[in-house]
Amino acid sequence: MARLSSENLETAYEIIARYPVKKSALIPLLHLAQEQDGWVTDVAMAHIAELVEVTPAEVIGTCTFYEMFKRKPVGKYVVNICTNISCQLLGGEELLHHAEQKLAIKAGATTADGLFTIEDVECIAACTEAPCLQVNYRYFHKITHGEFDSLIDDLKAGTRDEIPAHGTLAKVRQHIPAARRAGAVAPTDRAEPVWLIRNRQEGAS
Amino acid sequence: MTMNDVPKIITSRFDQGDAHTLDGYRRTHGYEGLAAALEKTPQQVADEVKAASLLGRGGAGFPAGIKWTLAPANVWPRYLVVNGDESEPGTYKDRMLLERDPHQLIEGVLIACYAVGCGQAFLYIRGEMAHAQERMAAALNEAYAAGFVGKNILGTDFSVDVVLHWGAGAYIVGEETALIESLEGNRGMPRLKPPFFPAAKGLYMQPTIVNNVETLSNLPWIIRNGVDEWNKLGAETSKGTRVFAVSGHVNNPGVFEVEFGVTTFRDIIFDPKFAGGIRGGKALKAFIPGGASAPWFYEEHLDLPLEKVAIDRAGSMLGSGAIVVMDEDTDMVKAALRLVRFFARESCGKCTPCREGTTWMEKIMQRILDGHGRPEDVALLMDTADNISVDFMWPPRMTTICPLGQSATTPIASAVMRFKDEFERYVGGPIELNVTVKGAAFIGPPTRKKEGSGV
Ligand SMILES: Cc1cc2nc3c(=O)[nH]c(=O)nc-3n(C[C@H](O)[C@H](O)[C@H](O)COP(=O)(O)O)c2cc1C
Ligand code: SF4
Ligand code: FES
């Protein structure tokens, strides 16, 4: 639990530089903090406030609006089970109840060993693959109760290393090489784009 | 033209294993649309898209080419924001497009920026879609390195950065003004329109074009093949093809690209090439034609074409291309409660009718489902809903800043009006309603059978 590490700080600067206004980097930076610590700590939020030049209160304001940001530690694996309409029709609620039995916790809670959190979530855009779930935002489609049990057993045994610990989203980051960068366009940058000007001039001549 | 020989436009690379790589994409005409666009003037490209009648695929179905003309003249900079927040229940197409054909979207984004004169583009991907974010990041990195994105694209004076941005879990952020708030680093609450139409006052109060992932993914094909080829496909106003996800109680749930405006619900739900009919030989009870916000349809709507004007007239919408099929055994009270709960959870809380109304509707519905409901609860439920969506009109009358509030009432009106007997079974007595209901899909055609007779 800390401020952003020096490596993450580098990444943070790179992210901020892409935006015309620093505050736009807030959500990506909160994800970065969550990737580092598994949840979003007060210390990290204060650090992010410094980086994007807003008050810590503004950071908390944004952070608390979004479900993915956890303000308390959660399990190493967050298991999101969809119970929305398409999944409900094909056993999503039963799958959730099965998961609660298997892990002996209610949705929203974390197992005592800190390994699993279960969440009852809204549609995750895999509706034709119902019932479905995500573990740390990695998809599992058309899941039977038996498959759910094996998945949990595998995660306990540590044999599913394609799934990173909670907090890591994309394992590939965007990187814009300096030589190829067009640059962030500030809202105060009132110039008409050059290719429009050229085309107009060519049209006129 | 039969359903078979309609070309695949945006899903053409779904079965090509390496389509997400630059090499794979270029092997199948990748970036040829961009090259062709750069040979034309921005105005020519914009005119072509306007002539193509490309209806927005994000929900509202507004023509993209016309939206592009709404940015006020000579106000710079302009921005492009791609809406990849896909989270309308039942909707599953943008994630596929992002994961399987990321370069197609990048190419579409560049074509739009070139035509409209956008100085920078932001690609807002839903937070929960880790794999889509990875695929887009990798595709952008490759495209930058190869000179397709960034400074002096393909050696011309056209330069634009495409910035990958990702959300953090909030359905309402899919609404375009909330998306912009979120992209500014704020709580994702919608802005009032007017004055905050994005095309006039959007990101950082500058003119901003917000388009859906699927909408923009069509552009490379349109520019490469020409607007005449595009306009050969589809019906009067609904041109081209469209992607629909068919989920629920069907034999073969899936994501299908079909000719827009021509294919019917019966085709897409029952044809073996598509969803293949209801599971276990059961009868159809109802289906949602366009995502959780859309009023439900029934047997008598099956022969309607998937065409915007026809569906609007019948009192619902194609929305985000999400068809959810419910068979005869479905408990409609339970289904409606689940949808209401969704809207209650996702209300941003800015407007009182939506914030309070969705919460109360969920509570009343839960009480009914739990068996503690009183017969008058259903009237109370409809009365509450009527306070958010006055007279249940279609399109709804707005009482709130964004349409989420009205959307929350559609599953209730659909279920109560059509399956009143199911509610009566739950509350143990006859129901009397004292609200006016005007939406065509809620009241049904005049000749319809008595409710409860099964369809
Ligand atoms: C509550 C609500 C949620 C929405 N969610 C999405 C969404 O997830 N994706 C999307 O593209 N459009 C969504 N929309 C529609 C957008 O506001 C906007 O119309 C669309 O992104 C414009 O793009 P298009 O013209 O290309 O369709 C939503 C609208 C509302 C009111
Ligand atoms: S209608 Fe609901 S979701 Fe939309 S702005 Fe108002 S409170 Fe927020
Ligand atoms: S309803 Fe479960 S993924 Fe869409």
Side-chain angles (χ1 to χ4, degrees):
Chain A
M1 163 184 341
R3 291 162 67 86
L4 294 179
S5 67
S6 57
E7 193 196 336
N8 283 334
L9 193 56
E10 282 301 307
T11 308
Y13 286 134
E14 190 183 339
I15 292 173
I16 293 168
R18 287 182 213 147
Y19 295 94
V21 174
K22 285 185 179 177
K23 195 181 178 190
S24 282
L26 202 43
I27 290 175
L29 296 191
L30 286 164
H31 277 300
L32 193 62
Q34 181 150 286
E35 178 166 357
Q36 175 178 294
D37 300 321
W39 57 291
V40 183
T41 69
D42 287 349
V43 181
M45 280 197 290
H47 192 186
I48 291 171
E50 286 169 30
L51 292 174
V52 303
E53 296 166 13
V54 299
T55 65
E58 281 178 274
V59 179
I60 295 177
T62 297
C63 179
T64 52
F65 187 80
Y66 299 92
E67 256 154 61
M68 288 175 74
F69 295 134
K70 307 303 178 195
R71 296 281 293 108
K72 289 197 185 96
V74 289
K76 180 177 178 195
Y77 300 109
V78 175
V79 182
N80 287 355
I81 299 175
C82 176
T83 58
N84 209 309
I85 187 74
S86 306
C87 291
Q88 181 194 46
L89 293 173
L90 294 174
E93 290 177 343
E94 290 75 11
L95 181 62
L96 176 68
H97 294 150
H98 174 78
E100 291 178 330
Q101 298 288 329
K102 167 85 182 167
L103 294 171
I105 48 171
K106 294 293 275 179
T110 301
T111 52
D113 59 9
L115 265 187
F116 298 101
T117 300
I118 305 179
E119 292 187 349
D120 166 7
V121 300
E122 301 301 344
C123 177
I124 48 180
C127 320
T128 63
E129 311 302 318
C132 57
L133 60 84
Q134 293 181 318
V135 179
N136 294 346
Y137 307 105
R138 268 71 189 168
Y139 282 90
F140 293 86
H141 289 159
K142 292 188 176 149
I143 285 286
T144 64
H145 294 191
E147 285 164 350
F148 180 84
D149 293 350
S150 328
L151 173 63
I152 294 298
D153 295 342
D154 287 353
L155 290 168
K156 277 188 187 159
T159 57
R160 300 301 289 257
D161 34 291
E162 79 274 19
I163 303 174
H166 177 258
T168 298
L169 278 175
K171 286 188 275 187
V172 183
R173 292 189 205 281
Q174 180 176 19
H175 175 69
I176 304 180
R180 297 277 325 122
R181 193 167 180 263
V185 176
T188 48
D189 184 351
R190 304 269 177 220
E192 184 177 358
V194 287
W195 68 94
L196 293 192
I197 299 173
R198 173 183 48 84
N199 272 290
R200 221 186 32 246
Q201 287 166 348
E202 283 173 6
S205 64
Chain B
M1 205 174 313
T2 70
M3 287 186 294
N4 284 318
D5 41 62
V6 170
K8 294 256 178 292
I9 292 182
I10 55 173
T11 64
S12 68
R13 296 186 192 83
F14 275 17
D15 296 325
Q16 182 192 329
D18 65 348
H20 61 282
T21 65
L22 185 60
D23 281 348
Y25 185 63
R26 293 192 67 185
R27 212 174 46 245
T28 45
H29 303 293
Y31 290 106
E32 288 174 15
L34 174 66
L38 294 181
E39 298 282 312
K40 303 171 198 245
T41 68
Q43 190 60 49
Q44 284 166 338
V45 176
D47 288 345
E48 201 149 331
V49 174
K50 196 170 163 190
S53 172
L54 168 61
L55 301 188
R57 301 321 198 217
F62 192 80
I66 299 194
K67 184 183 281 189
W68 293 3
T69 64
L70 299 179
N74 291 318
V75 181
W76 313 101
R78 292 175 180 171
Y79 297 105
L80 180 83
V81 176
V82 185
N83 193 340
D85 194 55
E86 183 169 68
S87 30
E88 176 80 16
T91 312
Y92 176 25
K93 58 178 181 82
D94 296 342
R95 177 164 77 88
M96 262 197 199
L97 289 164
L98 293 165
E99 290 177 357
R100 300 200 190 175
D101 207 343
H103 286 284
Q104 179 174 247
L105 175 62
I106 296 171
E107 189 178 353
V109 168
L110 296 170
I111 292 169
C113 287
Y114 177 72
V116 181
C118 297
Q120 199 173 359
F122 299 89
L123 177 43
Y124 193 120
I125 299 187
R126 181 171 170 186
E128 288 92 337
M129 297 178 180
H131 187 51
Q133 292 155 21
E134 279 166 359
R135 281 275 165 95
M136 277 317 306
L140 280 167
N141 290 348
E142 273 198 290
Y144 263 100
F148 290 106
V149 191
K151 199 168 168 177
N152 300 124
I153 293 169
L154 294 178
T156 67
D157 59 1
F158 171 48
S159 298
V160 68
D161 270 342
V162 178
V163 174
L164 181 63
H165 188 89
W166 55 113
Y171 162 72
I172 189 58
V173 161
E175 194 280 334
E176 56 189 9
T177 59
L179 192 80
I180 287 169
E181 281 288 327
S182 183
L183 185 51
E184 291 184 2
N186 302 326
R187 296 169 76 83
M189 291 174 154
R191 297 171 176 170
L192 197 60
K193 298 190 276 191
F196 300 111
F197 284 108
K201 285 184 185 303
L203 185 63
Y204 316 125
M205 292 298 145
Q206 290 300 121
T208 302
I209 303 299
V210 182
N211 270 137
N212 168 262
V213 166
E214 185 188 345
T215 312
L216 293 166
S217 294
N218 280 294
L219 295 175
W221 193 97
I222 294 176
I223 300 300
R224 206 173 69 233
N225 296 281
V227 62
D228 294 339
E229 285 303 306
W230 169 268
N231 280 344
K232 276 184 200 157
L233 298 166
E236 201 46 48
T237 51
S238 305
K239 292 291 182 196
T241 61
R242 224 191 128 162
V243 180
F244 291 89
V246 187
S247 65
H249 295 138
V250 287
N251 283 312
N252 178 31
V255 178
F256 309 106
E257 179 173 3
V258 299
E259 188 172 5
F260 199 11
V262 177
T263 311
T264 65
F265 285 111
R266 192 183 297 284
D267 295 332
I268 205 167
I269 295 174
F270 287 94
D271 194 298
K273 278 194 300 295
F274 302 124
I278 314 295
R279 294 204 323 178
K282 301 264 182 192
L284 171 74
K285 191 168 187 178
F287 61 99
I288 308 178
S293 307
W296 302 354
F297 272 174
Y298 313 96
E299 175 85 26
E300 68 262 23
H301 297 101
L302 279 175
D303 292 311
L304 285 173
L306 298 162
E307 193 264 326
K308 181 173 163 42
V309 179
I311 306 301
D312 288 351
R313 199 177 300 131
S316 190
M317 62 176 178
L318 287 177
S320 50
I323 300 173
V324 184
V325 178
M326 299 181 246
D327 75 11
E328 57 188 317
D329 296 337
T330 310
D331 180 334
M332 298 322 236
V333 180
K334 206 173 147 197
L337 167 60
R338 186 61 189 86
L339 292 170
V340 171
R341 195 177 127 210
F342 164 74
F343 290 112
R345 274 184 170 189
E346 300 297 334
S347 167
C348 82
K350 196 168 180 173
C351 330
T352 311
C354 172
R355 182 189 62 241
E356 300 298 320
T358 53
T359 311
W360 280 109
M361 292 190 303
E362 184 194 345
K363 282 187 181 158
I364 300 168
M365 290 280 298
Q366 185 72 57
R367 178 161 77 192
I368 294 172
L369 194 82
D370 289 345
H372 306 304
R374 307 158 302 173
E376 61 269 31
D377 275 354
V378 183
L380 178 64
L381 183 66
M382 285 295 276
D383 186 46
T384 311
D386 180 53
N387 276 292
I388 312 173
S389 188
V390 182
D391 292 346
F392 300 93
M393 304 211 285
W394 193 262
R397 213 176 102 191
M398 296 292 291
T399 58
T400 50
I401 293 170
C402 91
L404 185 145
Q406 287 71 43
S407 297
T409 69
T410 66
I412 291 179
S414 294
V416 170
M417 295 304 288
R418 183 78 175 205
F419 306 103
K420 202 167 148 200
D421 57 322
E422 293 193 26
F423 283 84
E424 285 174 338
R425 271 204 297 281
Y426 271 104
V427 297
I431 294 168
E432 260 182 71
L433 299 177
N434 41 20
V435 287
T436 309
V437 178
K438 291 190 176 156
F442 303 133
I443 46 187
T447 56
R448 126 182 120 69
K449 291 180 232 163
K450 253 191 91 210
E451 68 270 346
S453 61
V455 282

